[in-house]
Amino acid sequence: MDTDIGALTVIFTEMYYWITVVFMFLIHIGFCMYEVSASRHKNHLHTLLKNTMLIPLVTITFFFFGWWIYFALPNGPGITGGLISAPWAEPWSELMGPHMGGKPATDAVTADDTILWSRLNGVFWAAFLLFSWTAASIVSGAVIERVRSSAFWLLAVLVGSVTWVIDAAWGWHPDGWMIQVLGYHDAYASGVIHAIAGGSALAYLYLLGPRIGKFRADGTPRDIRPHNPWLVTIGLFLIYTGFWGFYAACNVPIFDVDVADDRVFYSATNIYLGPTTLSAITVNFLMSLSGGMLAGYVLSKGDGFWTYSGGLAGIIAASAGNDLYHPIQAMIIGGLGTWFMYKIHYFVERRFKIDDAVGAVAVHGYAGCFGVVIAGFVLWGYPASPTYDAVVTPWGQFIGAVIMFWVLGFIPAFILGWICKASGILRIPMAIELAGLDRAEGLDRAALEEDIRTAEQEEARAAGLV
Amino acid sequence: MSTGVESWTGNILDIGPIYPFVGSEVILWVVGMVLWIAWHIWQGRHESIVYAEDEQKFKGEELAKALRGERS
């Protein structure tokens, strides 16, 4: 901070991530609108609060242990090394609080640590936290109208502050063992956010069972339509908007990408510190969105819900390689990923009686896995990072998708859900689910308004006004 | 008496953490963890109590009314 250019670089980077955080907040607003619109009137407020309260719970737990996990576990531990010391990310570190970057107060951090992290730790933490909210929020939509809030909030903490952070340390860190060993490449989180959230949602959905009335006696599904298509539209547009911040937050804005010792060349990089540009990811974001929307429209024959969801699935399907794809590749991959998730969604719904209320497992889980695997073919032979020799391969990416969706997604959520189910706290009691969660929890607005109207009429009569 | 920073003058490079009560971080973390776990325990118990009461309420005709969209 003692030279103009040095200070400008640090403060620009700080501001860059700050802006991404504000953009990403829109993702959560979008998810809330989307979920409420997909729920029935009798369940609105329960649905809204279930999603909203993951914000404080994931935030505090990401502070208490999530951030440390990301820096401590890139080696597994036990795969490419042990636990990594990360004193700036420990929740009791002086660098987790306001800090001017000068002399450390304790020996736990060095002067170099304070110079590097004093202005960047907070905004990096916040950007990752917003990824955490997104991961947990993806699960939230799938399980509406039947999951108990207590059981969901435990899962939100597990996914948002533990499992996704482990997968980020493994596959979304410049030194993650999956990059070193598998050549894993997932620049904009097809797997590390979307596949793991989809796998986690599938586990809870399997244990919860469908909503009452979802399937007919012969096993065919009923279509429980969103009660408000306009809120679905606005919600998904807000998610698209927030996704811009998500993409930008996955980059490092200024970094010396020339690995030769005697030269310097500054560029934006992906999360692995491999070179890319904001222009590249901006064009590819839009082209993959477009490919997904076009495919979603055709597949659903013009259904609004699946057209918008197709756009989201298109972005997610191309995200693993959107730092490097040609825009037309991004468009085609977005379209193919949407076709894949749409077909699998209806197959799983009919075959396994999975009631995914908003298509979250499909849009995030199946499209995310597709995106990870397809990147293995399209980017075959690319260096996974500038630091290690491993290259991108189809098999490395396939193993990566299995780790994301099943190992860190489905299995931990299944274990937690099974414990909740065995304890009788997974699903809303049947009578309450039938009556409606808002009515049962004393949140029926119409009843409250009627009560107030009655009271006003009595007061008016008592005063002789009517 | 000061809980932290006493002056902004002097060598800026000597200024590190600027929050009050530097040195209490581990205690703060323990307090935070306890509050977080206590919140889950309270919320789970409260939810169970409310659902138990509502299950008693929504039986027979009351549930039938709710299913017809009528007020209790």
Side-chain angles (χ1 to χ4, degrees):
Chain A
M1 299 298 286
D2 55 353
T3 64
D4 289 352
I5 193 67
L8 277 173
T9 303
V10 169
I11 292 171
F12 170 77
T13 305
E14 188 180 16
M15 178 62 80
Y16 175 92
Y17 286 109
W18 183 85
I19 291 169
T20 68
V21 170
V22 179
F23 264 103
M24 283 193 284
F25 208 104
L26 292 173
I27 295 177
H28 212 86
I29 299 170
F31 272 127
C32 283
M33 295 183 78
Y34 183 29
E35 271 186 48
V36 171
S37 68
S39 68
R40 286 164 285 181
H41 286 287
K42 62 183 180 179
N43 300 321
H44 279 175
L45 286 175
H46 180 275
T47 302
L48 181 60
L49 270 178
K50 175 176 64 61
N51 191 318
T52 302
M53 287 306 292
L54 75 83
I55 291 178
L57 290 166
V58 173
T59 299
I60 63 173
T61 50
F62 192 73
F63 189 98
F64 293 158
F65 43 78
W67 191 223
W68 173 82
I69 289 172
Y70 178 67
F71 288 100
L73 270 59
N75 287 327
I79 299 170
T80 50
L83 275 179
I84 295 174
S85 173
W88 61 87
E90 292 166 353
W92 45 78
S93 168
E94 63 185 86
L95 284 166
M96 291 295 280
H99 201 290
M100 284 301 291
K103 192 175 160 186
T106 69
D107 294 335
V109 294
T110 65
D112 286 344
D113 287 336
T114 63
I115 290 168
L116 177 64
W117 290 106
S118 59
R119 283 173 174 75
L120 299 180
N121 208 25
V123 285
F124 279 168
W125 174 85
F128 268 71
L129 170 67
L130 271 287
F131 299 147
S132 299
W133 290 3
T134 298
S137 195
I138 289 166
V139 182
S140 176
V143 296
I144 57 170
E145 302 194 307
R146 74 212 106 140
V147 74
R148 280 175 70 148
S149 296
S150 51
F152 171 72
W153 289 330
L154 290 172
L155 181 65
V157 170
L158 178 70
V159 174
S161 292
V162 182
T163 53
W164 109 262
V165 196
I166 294 173
D167 87 31
W170 289 3
W172 215 47
H173 184 289
D175 301 314
W177 73 264
M178 289 175 67
I179 289 84
Q180 296 185 50
V181 176
L182 299 174
Y184 185 72
H185 186 88
D186 189 8
Y188 300 97
S190 294
V192 297
I193 288 284
H194 300 286
I196 189 175
S200 304
L202 183 62
Y204 254 45
L205 287 172
Y206 177 79
L207 291 164
L208 275 167
R211 287 169 289 179
I212 295 167
K214 172 64 183 177
F215 291 96
R216 298 182 182 89
D218 65 1
T220 54
R222 292 188 178 91
D223 200 7
I224 304 175
R225 305 291 293 173
H227 86 274
N228 188 332
W230 294 108
L231 270 185
V232 170
T233 306
I234 298 168
L236 276 161
F237 266 123
L238 283 172
I239 295 171
Y240 293 167
T241 310
F243 227 135
W244 289 98
F246 186 103
Y247 258 52
C250 297
N251 274 9
V252 176
I254 300 177
F255 196 79
D256 178 14
V257 294
D258 196 330
V259 292
D261 289 338
D262 57 343
R263 295 194 305 266
V264 171
F265 188 92
Y266 286 99
S267 171
T269 76
N270 59 27
I271 199 84
Y272 310 112
L273 306 179
T276 187
T277 67
L278 270 180
S279 283
I281 67 168
T282 302
V283 175
N284 285 349
F285 177 95
L286 287 166
M287 290 295 276
S288 52
L289 166 72
S290 301
M293 290 183 83
L294 291 166
Y297 186 90
V298 171
L299 285 161
S300 66
K301 298 181 175 59
D303 176 81
F305 177 84
W306 281 110
T307 301
Y308 283 106
S309 294
L312 200 53
I315 299 167
I316 292 163
S319 286
N322 255 351
D323 54 330
L324 297 166
Y325 292 151
H326 185 277
I328 299 175
Q329 293 168 343
M331 180 194 78
I332 294 168
I333 290 168
L336 288 173
T338 300
W339 172 82
F340 178 80
M341 72 89 191
Y342 185 85
K343 295 296 182 187
I344 298 287
H345 170 78
Y346 281 110
F347 169 75
V348 170
E349 181 180 83
R350 289 169 195 278
R351 176 73 179 77
F352 299 102
K353 305 291 177 284
I354 296 294
D355 176 15
D356 179 0
V358 297
V361 180
V363 171
H364 300 273
Y366 308 147
C369 287
F370 176 90
V372 170
V373 174
I374 201 77
F377 289 95
V378 182
L379 302 178
W380 199 337
Y382 272 66
S385 87
T387 315
Y388 300 101
D389 295 332
V391 297
V392 178
T393 60
W395 50 90
Q397 294 293 104
F398 180 78
I399 295 168
V402 170
I403 290 171
M404 298 300 162
F405 190 91
W406 293 107
V407 177
L408 288 172
F410 188 91
I411 293 173
F414 186 89
I415 293 169
L416 177 63
W418 186 85
I419 293 169
C420 288
K421 191 170 186 173
S423 308
I425 61 163
L426 182 65
R427 185 161 180 150
I428 304 279
M430 186 177 182
I432 297 171
E433 187 178 334
L434 287 166
L437 308 180
D438 292 355
R439 180 191 291 267
E441 293 181 12
L443 298 172
D444 188 335
R445 283 168 294 168
L448 292 173
E449 285 168 9
E450 192 173 299
D451 191 35
I452 290 292
R453 271 198 302 276
T454 304
E456 285 175 339
Q457 287 165 4
E458 286 172 1
E459 294 278 344
R461 273 194 294 274
L465 295 174
V466 291
Chain B
M1 169 67 187
S2 170
T3 59
V5 176
E6 294 176 346
S7 169
W8 297 113
T9 59
N11 187 351
I12 193 76
L13 295 176
D14 286 337
I15 301 178
I18 55 175
Y19 50 86
F21 302 108
V22 170
S24 64
E25 295 86 352
V26 172
I27 296 168
L28 288 172
W29 179 74
V30 171
V31 169
M33 289 286 288
V34 168
L35 289 172
W36 163 57
I37 292 165
W39 190 91
H40 279 287
I41 293 169
W42 175 86
Q43 188 275 328
R45 285 181 178 167
H46 171 72
E47 186 181 72
S48 294
I49 291 167
V50 169
Y51 284 160
E53 290 171 355
D54 287 336
E55 274 192 289
Q56 290 301 312
K57 180 181 173 188
F58 288 106
K59 284 180 175 174
E61 184 54 27
E62 280 300 314
L63 181 57
K65 277 185 186 174
L67 288 169
R68 290 194 299 267
E70 296 171 7
R71 305 262 178 268
S72 302

